[in-house]
Amino acid sequence: VKKGSAITGFGTKVKELLAAKDAFLSDEPLEGEDETDVLLRKYGIGNDEDIALKRYEDAMNAFDEEDLPEEINIAIVGRPNVGKSSLLNSLFGSNRAIVSEKAGTTRDTIDAVMERPPPTGSSDPPTIYRFVDTAGIRRKGKVEFGPEFFMVNRALRAIRRADVALLVLDATQGVAEQDCVLAQKIADDGRACVIVCNKWDAVVDKDSSTYDKSVKYFRDELPQVRWAPILFTSAATGQRVGKVYGAVDEALKAHRRRVSTAVLNEVLRDAILWQPPPARRNGAQAKIYYCNQVSTRPPTVVVFCNDPKLITDNYRRYLDRKFRESLDGFEATPIRWIYRGRRARDMRRQRAMNGQPGDGGLGTSYPFPHAM
């Protein structure tokens, strides 16, 4: 057993529990007792039995109050035969999953728990990672009802319950249509994502510009997760596999990040000044008032405007890009945008402001009241 690896206060709690048990069984005087108290406790007379029982319950409850470290759920997803199980084995340094060149070897999800010690000199608790190796997900049209149907459903369920999803790609084959479908699934579920391009050692004719060209290629082919960091690894040789932990930690921080309302509105004001909201041909102009963050996991921002229908998809993508450029720390998580229009009650109140004094603004609205 490694020195200092025991739970804090574990030895003291065990001693208190053993002492509480002795209070029931022992016929000898305990600390603070005399012979009369021993006889009363022996025959169940007086309140000494209740005191011993309470002492025993308190000692047992002390173990339940121990704070356990949080588990970080990490789902390893991708198409069949891209190296998901090999990546899991390389992360653990041992054979946790069966690896074969034949596609579809993994038939069910495999959970593997790892405890990562804190940095040297840090008082932080250890980090618990739960890696979930999933079965390869093929196109929906090729999946028949049977074992593959259920194993694909379990893989999709693993994405929903994960904190971070590792989207594993084959660097030698590029991006397939199913990779785009999985990327869209991760973004729709609001999961933090790290793109892992496996089999980097099998890429031939690499030069100084191969890395930059590959990053640009994967960014262009996967616009659904254009915000996700990209790692080029080799599970067979272990190349850059250790960087997965750092990428997961950064993705988890981004997934749980919260920004103040003042900072969000400052960025929103600059974005609107740089490019105003769009207008329709009939003269309807979109107006954005303010925004605030309402939740995390993923970060969710509510934007208050006059009419959400006037905010086009291009302008929504523009706001997402401007926020990511202006705010650091959102590189590995999706941002959910909720556009909320004005309530009908407020709109009626604005149209009915020209009434008689004291009627609460329920009169008829005229463009020029003084002309009546």
Side-chain angles (χ1 to χ4, degrees):
V1 180
K2 183 179 179 180
K3 183 179 180 181
S5 61
I7 301 176
T8 304
F10 183 80
T12 305
K13 294 177 182 178
V14 172
K15 292 179 181 178
E16 293 178 354
L17 180 61
L18 293 177
K21 289 182 178 179
D22 292 339
F24 286 109
L25 305 176
S26 177
D27 293 335
E28 300 296 330
L30 302 177
E31 183 179 357
E33 290 185 343
D34 53 15
E35 295 181 358
T36 304
D37 295 333
V38 174
L39 292 175
L40 292 175
R41 175 164 52 83
K42 180 178 180 181
Y43 293 101
I45 304 175
N47 60 350
D48 288 341
E49 185 177 1
D50 297 335
I51 295 175
L53 179 61
K54 185 177 183 303
R55 181 180 178 185
Y56 177 78
E57 291 178 350
D58 293 341
M60 290 294 294
N61 293 334
F63 289 92
D64 298 335
E65 295 174 358
E66 183 67 35
D67 294 333
L68 298 178
E70 180 186 6
E71 282 190 358
I72 301 175
N73 293 321
I74 306 170
I76 306 176
V77 297
R79 292 184 292 114
N81 204 20
V82 294
K84 299 182 297 297
S85 300
S86 300
L87 179 63
L88 178 68
N89 294 339
S90 181
L91 287 170
F92 279 81
S94 59
N95 294 328
R96 296 300 183 98
I98 300 175
V99 177
S100 174
E101 295 181 357
K102 184 180 179 181
T105 303
T106 303
R107 309 289 290 181
D108 199 358
T109 57
I110 301 174
D111 290 22
V113 181
M114 172 185 292
E115 179 178 338
R116 187 184 183 192
T120 305
S122 175
S123 60
D124 297 335
T127 306
I128 306 296
Y129 298 98
R130 179 179 291 275
F131 290 91
V132 182
D133 182 23
T134 62
I137 303 176
R138 297 196 300 168
R139 288 195 308 174
K140 187 176 181 180
K142 293 184 177 181
V143 178
E144 299 180 356
F145 186 79
E148 187 178 5
F149 174 81
F150 293 101
M151 75 183 189
V152 169
N153 286 340
R154 282 192 289 268
L156 297 178
R157 194 182 307 121
I159 298 177
R160 289 193 295 268
R161 67 184 179 94
D163 296 313
V164 182
L166 298 181
L167 180 58
V168 184
L169 308 177
D170 191 340
T172 61
Q173 297 180 1
V175 178
E177 181 182 358
Q178 185 63 16
D179 295 325
C180 299
V181 174
L182 293 176
Q184 187 64 49
K185 174 65 176 177
I186 294 172
D188 293 342
D189 289 341
R191 303 298 95 189
C193 179
V194 177
I195 300 176
V196 181
C197 297
N198 196 24
K199 304 181 182 180
W200 184 246
D201 59 323
V203 178
V204 297
D205 298 333
K206 291 195 291 283
D207 53 22
S208 58
S209 62
T210 303
Y211 176 82
D212 296 333
K213 292 180 180 178
S214 300
V215 171
K216 185 179 184 303
Y217 167 77
F218 286 107
R219 292 285 185 213
D220 295 339
E221 295 295 328
L222 293 174
Q224 301 85 355
V225 288
R226 60 187 179 277
W227 34 263
I230 301 178
L231 296 178
F232 294 92
T233 64
S234 173
T237 62
Q239 183 183 10
R240 285 190 286 271
V241 172
K243 293 186 177 181
V244 172
Y245 298 105
V248 167
D249 294 339
E250 294 297 327
L252 193 67
K253 291 179 182 178
H255 200 234
R256 302 178 179 181
R257 192 185 178 203
R258 183 177 291 274
V259 182
S260 63
T261 304
V263 176
L264 288 177
N265 284 278
E266 183 178 354
V267 176
L268 179 63
R269 184 183 67 250
D270 294 341
I272 294 175
L273 290 176
W274 185 261
Q275 182 175 340
R280 291 185 177 179
R281 292 183 178 180
N282 59 1
Q285 175 69 41
K287 296 181 181 179
I288 298 178
Y289 304 117
Y290 67 97
C291 67
N292 66 329
Q293 185 177 352
V294 295
S295 65
T296 59
R297 306 185 185 185
T300 305
V301 180
V302 177
V303 180
F304 293 88
C305 58
N306 59 343
D307 189 358
K309 296 180 181 179
L310 298 177
I311 309 296
T312 61
D313 293 339
N314 290 336
Y315 198 78
R316 298 187 184 196
R317 288 191 292 266
Y318 162 74
L319 289 180
D320 184 87
R321 178 171 56 84
K322 293 298 291 184
F323 270 76
R324 293 183 183 275
E325 292 176 356
S326 303
L327 301 175
D328 296 331
F330 289 111
E331 290 80 8
T333 180
I335 302 177
R336 282 182 176 172
W337 297 89
I338 301 176
Y339 291 86
R340 184 171 298 173
R342 301 176 63 183
R343 295 178 295 182
R345 182 184 64 183
D346 297 337
M347 298 175 65
R348 289 195 301 267
R349 181 178 300 175
Q350 183 181 10
R351 289 196 302 263
M353 287 302 295
N354 296 322
Q356 297 297 327
D359 64 358
L362 298 178
T364 305
S365 176
Y366 297 101
F368 304 103
H370 61 276
M372 299 302 296

